[in-house]
């Protein structure tokens, strides 16, 4: 499967990603589990050869719980080999760790904890409550853990935290480190993460026959529709930032596109729309996925650029001096792990939904680039060297958080394995 010339079929795809998960990804992360306190160490160098801090970002801990819980469920379903009880036990240890340590007096989550669970300021002097994203990933992890464990009280805890998030977002007073939303603008990412957690929690509540299920179903649909009506532009791109009112000005902030975010969001919409039986929304995602590849693909070097202009290429437009604008201009041509893993899954999902060979070609192009570029060449270490420059060379640079993220790659690999699990057995 490392070449576009290999045979394309469900079985070969599933076997390839199972091997990648079991041989390259899980060995790295299994050693990162904190067996003493609970949770996972994630502050590794980009190469993964050194742990540089034992701090635990709540953002990453919630993601870890989701991954381990989903792996346990797939083992129980016979889709993956392994010991489901071991993954559940480690996920439960992390759930208990967060339950004991993460909550602040106002019910929100601390963004950063020490190894043993003490709260720590990620930005000195800014307090502990610096990002609602931390809370969102706790909801995500707790929801998936509740499903695989059958622990209804964890589902209730996830729902209570979700409701607090909804109130905070409705009030417009959220903090969103490491990416504060520029004044006067609304962010696609806020609606996107709420779509993700509402869809996950909706499925969990359905399993428990919870009375809040229908409310979550309504929320989920509203978020999906908001993305496809407010943030989807007539040319099929997704705008990352838009003014809270009026027409979008020709600024870098409002012109820029995040191709990886678009691809990730479109499979969120597809999953939600499929559960909600909204085929019209599913159909709307397909040209958006095509547009993201069209704008994001680096014609000179291959791979997906981090940020591009709405017309393609280097972001341009009027400058406002906002710090996020500086990030766009400084890192637009980086090649990051997470957009590429999102591209693998979204292109395969689009192909299976549409039977359109153009998505197959997009996948094969992306597959060749990804597996020639990202995996750590030293198999004794494993995982990917996640952060690379435009030429694909490793780059020791902080992206979002100073962590080696355990989430996107494994999540997309699991989703691909699930996508082809029934087809591979046909």
């Amino acid at each position: 499967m490392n070449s576009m010339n290999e045979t394309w079929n469900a079985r070969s795809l599933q076997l390839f990603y199972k091997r990648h998960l079991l041989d390259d990804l899980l060995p790295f992360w299994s050693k990162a589990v904190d067996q003493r306190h609970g949770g996972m160490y994630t502050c590794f160098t980009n190469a993964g050869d050194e742990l540089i801090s034992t701090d635990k970002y709540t953002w990453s801990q919630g993601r870890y719980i989701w991954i381990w819980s989903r792996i346990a469920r797939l083992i129980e379903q016979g889709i993956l080999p392994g010991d489901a009880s071991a993954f559940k036990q480690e996920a439960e240890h992390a759930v208990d760790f967060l339950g004991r340590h993460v909550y602040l007096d106002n019910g929100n989550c601390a963004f950063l904890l020490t190894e043993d669970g003490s709260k720590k300021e990620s930005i000195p002097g800014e307090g502990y409550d610096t990002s609602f994203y931390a809370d969102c990933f706790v909801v995500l992890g707790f929801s998936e853990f509740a499903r695989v464990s059958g622990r209804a009280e964890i589902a209730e805890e996830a729902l209570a935290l979700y409701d607090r998030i909804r109130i905070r977002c409705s009030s417009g007073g959220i903090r969103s480190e490491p990416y504060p939303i520029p004044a006067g603008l609304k962010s696609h990412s806020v609606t996107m993460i709420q779509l993700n957690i509402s869809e996950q929690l909706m499925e969990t509540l359905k399993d428990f026959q919870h009375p809040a299920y229908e409310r979550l179903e309504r929320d989920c649909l509203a978020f999906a529709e908001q993305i496809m009506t407010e943030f989807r532009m007539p040319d099929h791109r997704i705008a990352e930032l838009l003014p809270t009112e009026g027409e979008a000005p020709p600024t870098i902030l409002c012109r820029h596109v995040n191709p990886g975010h678009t691809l990730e969001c479109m499979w969120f919409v597809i999953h939600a729309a499929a559960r909600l039986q909204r085929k019209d929304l599913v159909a709307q995602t397909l040209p958006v996925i095509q547009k993201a590849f069209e704008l994001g693909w680096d014609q000179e070097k291959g791979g997906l650029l981090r940020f591009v202009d709405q017309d393609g290429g280097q972001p341009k437009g009027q400058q406002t001096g906002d710090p996020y604008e500086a990030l766009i201009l400084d890192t637009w041509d980086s090649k990051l792990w997470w957009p590429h893993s999102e591209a693998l899954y979204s292109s395969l999902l689009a192909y299976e939904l549409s039977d359109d060979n153009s998505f197959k070609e997009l996948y094969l192009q992306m597959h060749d680039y990804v597996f020639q570029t990202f995996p750590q060449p030293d198999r004794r270490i494993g995982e990917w060297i996640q952060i690379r420059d435009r030429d694909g060379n490793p780059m020791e640079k902080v992206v979002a958080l100073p962590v080696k993220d355990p989430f996107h790659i494994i999540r997309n690999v699991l989703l691909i394995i699930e996508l082809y699990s029934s087809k591979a057995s046909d």
Side-chain angles (χ1 to χ4, degrees), residues 72-317:
R73 190 145 63 88
L74 294 181
I75 293 172
E76 289 181 343
Q77 292 171 353
I79 295 173
L80 288 176
D83 180 0
S85 63
F87 283 95
K88 280 199 280 190
Q89 186 175 8
E90 290 176 344
E92 185 172 40
H93 199 186
V95 168
D96 293 344
F97 172 79
L98 290 183
R100 290 194 309 273
H101 300 296
V102 81
Y103 293 115
L104 302 168
D105 291 342
N106 62 5
N108 298 344
C109 294
F111 188 56
L112 178 62
L113 303 172
T114 63
E115 180 180 22
D116 62 2
S118 298
K119 295 172 181 63
K120 183 176 180 178
E121 290 186 329
S122 60
I123 305 171
E126 291 291 314
Y128 306 123
D129 190 1
T130 52
S131 182
F132 88 108
Y133 289 120
D135 305 61
C136 290
F137 287 116
V138 173
V139 171
L140 202 70
F142 280 21
S143 297
E144 184 67 12
F145 176 74
R147 291 188 76 183
V148 76
S149 66
R151 287 180 58 181
E153 78 278 13
I154 302 299
E156 291 287 357
E157 197 170 337
L159 177 61
L161 188 53
Y162 169 84
D163 286 339
R164 286 196 291 274
I165 292 167
R166 291 283 287 121
I167 292 169
R168 292 163 71 188
C169 289
S170 298
S171 71
I174 57 168
R175 297 188 67 184
S176 58
E177 294 292 343
Y179 302 127
I181 301 166
L185 300 180
K186 57 184 177 181
S187 173
H188 157 242
S189 61
V190 173
T191 308
M192 174 179 163
I193 190 66
Q194 289 184 91
L195 170 62
N196 186 209
I197 64 174
S198 63
E199 193 260 344
Q200 174 76 65
L201 184 56
M202 175 182 76
E203 285 302 297
T204 298
L205 297 181
K206 184 178 182 181
D207 282 2
F208 286 97
Q209 298 182 312
H210 195 285
Y213 166 75
E214 290 185 356
R215 171 164 65 87
L216 266 290
E217 194 177 46
R218 290 192 296 272
D219 283 357
C220 184
L221 179 58
F223 292 132
E225 289 182 328
Q226 183 181 2
I227 286 164
M228 300 309 283
T229 55
E230 289 185 26
F231 292 97
R232 180 176 62 119
M233 299 292 103
D235 63 355
H236 302 300
R237 67 187 161 85
I238 295 292
E240 282 294 310
L241 293 167
L242 290 172
T244 52
E245 55 185 53
E247 294 294 314
T251 59
I252 289 172
L253 292 173
C254 290
R255 286 182 60 92
H256 91 284
V257 174
N258 184 328
H261 233 195
T262 295
L263 294 171
E264 182 183 10
C265 185
M266 287 306 99
W267 74 253
F268 288 180
V269 173
I270 290 170
H271 281 211
R275 297 194 197 286
L276 298 166
Q277 299 182 317
R278 285 291 301 273
K279 291 183 179 179
D280 59 317
L281 287 176
V282 173
Q284 289 172 16
T285 65
L286 299 179
V288 177
I289 291 172
Q290 288 177 317
K291 184 71 173 182
F293 274 98
E294 175 191 324
L295 290 176
W297 184 259
D298 185 346
Q299 298 292 343
E300 294 178 40
K301 309 285 188 177
L304 281 182
L305 297 162
R306 186 182 188 186
F307 301 116
V308 292
D309 184 68
Q310 66 184 32
D311 294 328
Q314 184 172 357
K316 55 181 177 285

Side-chain angles (χ1 to χ4, degrees), residues 15-76:
L15 286 175
F16 174 84
Y17 283 102
K18 278 186 179 179
R19 280 197 300 268
H20 188 47
L21 175 71
L22 299 172
D23 296 346
D24 301 321
L25 302 175
L26 283 185
F28 179 92
W29 291 110
S30 295
K31 290 184 286 189
V33 176
D34 182 355
Q35 300 291 353
R36 181 183 177 192
H37 301 287
M40 175 177 273
Y41 299 117
T42 63
C43 295
F44 293 93
T45 57
N46 186 24
D49 56 355
E50 182 185 356
L51 183 69
I52 53 179
S53 172
T54 58
D55 285 348
K56 293 171 180 171
Y57 285 87
T58 300
W59 174 320
S60 296
Q61 301 307 310
R63 290 172 159 192
Y64 155 60
I65 292 165
W66 187 94
I67 293 167
W68 250 231
S69 300
R70 180 59 67 95
I71 289 172
R73 190 145 63 88
L74 294 181
I75 293 172
E76 289 181 343

Side-chain angles (χ1 to χ4, degrees), residues 369-389:
Y369 177 83
V370 166
F371 289 99
Q372 290 167 10
T373 305
F374 282 99
Q376 161 64 264
D378 188 342
R379 298 292 292 275
R380 293 170 299 177
I381 298 175
E383 236 276 345
W384 293 8
I385 297 179
Q386 296 183 355
I387 303 166
R388 297 183 179 261
D389 64 18

Side-chain angles (χ1 to χ4, degrees), residues 390-426:
R390 187 173 187 179
D391 291 320
N393 300 311
M395 188 167 56
E396 203 61 47
K397 194 169 188 174
V398 172
V399 175
L401 305 182
V403 301
K404 188 175 183 69
D405 192 273
F407 188 53
H408 289 270
I409 304 168
I410 293 182
R411 179 178 64 172
N412 285 297
V413 165
L414 293 176
L415 290 170
I416 292 170
I417 291 169
E418 286 185 76
L419 179 64
Y420 288 103
S421 61
S422 58
K423 290 179 177 291
S425 60
D426 289 347

